[in-house]
Amino acid sequence: MAIRTIRIEGDEILNKKSKPVKEMTPRNEKLISDMLETMYDAEGVGLAAVQVGILKRIVTIDVGEGPIILINPEIIEEDGEQRGYEGCLSVPGKRGIVTRPNHVKVRAQNEKMEFFEIEGTELLARAFCHEIAHLDGELYISRVEGSLEDVEYEEE
Ligand code: ZN
């Protein structure tokens, strides 16, 4: 595994649409394991392949319940509403208020390219929406209500 460089807002690749993954290859397997390592190293709860410069529809998420790998994910159901802070590894040191559905159902493929469905509420639903939007070239900052804020880090 290897930690990859996270692309930062202003890098135009972040506004591009990612392409569907057609088959699992050693190259894609390596990308997924690198994405997980990069996400954990950066202490993020989610990462899309485009954030490491690869325009493939692959997302990794871990909201504290173990890793979730989504290949070619699509939101097939959503309901409710949640309003809260959101941040992004590609927009370091910032956060902003975004309204998202409170419950989301996603259909995706796993590392064996088998279809499955997964549901999430609250933070997991937010992560699904945020990461899948990356695959269509959308950053959360386009949905922020009010202004972006600086995140204040507490000193240890
Ligand atoms: Zn993000």
Side-chain angles (χ1 to χ4, degrees):
M1 296 211 292
I3 292 171
R4 302 205 185 190
T5 303
I6 296 176
R7 303 299 184 96
I8 302 301
E9 187 212 353
D11 188 324
E12 64 183 23
I13 198 166
L14 291 170
N15 301 116
K16 292 188 175 161
K17 207 169 156 76
S18 295
K19 294 191 176 70
V21 176
K22 293 197 184 100
E23 57 180 344
M24 190 47 55
T25 60
R27 184 181 287 257
N28 285 336
E29 285 172 5
K30 172 87 167 67
L31 171 61
I32 291 165
S33 64
D34 287 355
M35 283 172 64
L36 286 169
E37 188 174 7
T38 303
M39 178 180 78
Y40 290 125
D41 178 69
E43 297 182 359
V45 299
L47 190 71
V50 61
Q51 292 180 274
V52 294
I54 308 288
L55 288 167
K56 290 182 179 177
R57 300 186 81 82
I58 301 175
V59 160
T60 57
I61 289 173
D62 191 337
V63 295
E65 298 164 359
I68 297 169
I69 294 154
L70 303 174
I71 298 169
N72 303 325
E74 279 180 71
I75 293 173
I76 54 171
E77 268 180 47
E78 56 178 63
D79 54 77
E81 198 175 273
Q82 58 173 318
R83 197 167 172 273
Y85 280 111
E86 206 160 300
C88 179
L89 293 175
S90 292
V91 191
K94 301 283 182 186
R95 66 176 187 174
I97 296 280
V98 181
T99 299
R100 299 282 192 186
N102 196 49
H103 169 254
V104 169
K105 189 189 272 188
V106 173
R107 177 172 157 86
Q109 284 160 277
N110 63 19
E111 288 173 278
K112 294 173 182 168
M113 299 303 285
E114 298 162 339
F115 283 95
F116 69 104
E117 290 180 5
I118 183 168
E119 292 180 73
T121 58
E122 299 175 12
L123 178 59
L124 184 55
R126 181 176 291 282
F128 286 149
C129 295
H130 177 115
E131 300 308 329
I132 292 170
H134 270 299
L135 303 181
D136 290 321
E138 184 199 296
L139 292 176
Y140 84 98
I141 51 177
S142 66
R143 289 176 177 259
V144 164
E145 297 155 34
S147 51
L148 271 186
E149 299 175 13
D150 292 322
V151 176
E152 290 181 23
Y153 293 100
E154 288 182 22
E155 292 194 25
E156 286 176 25

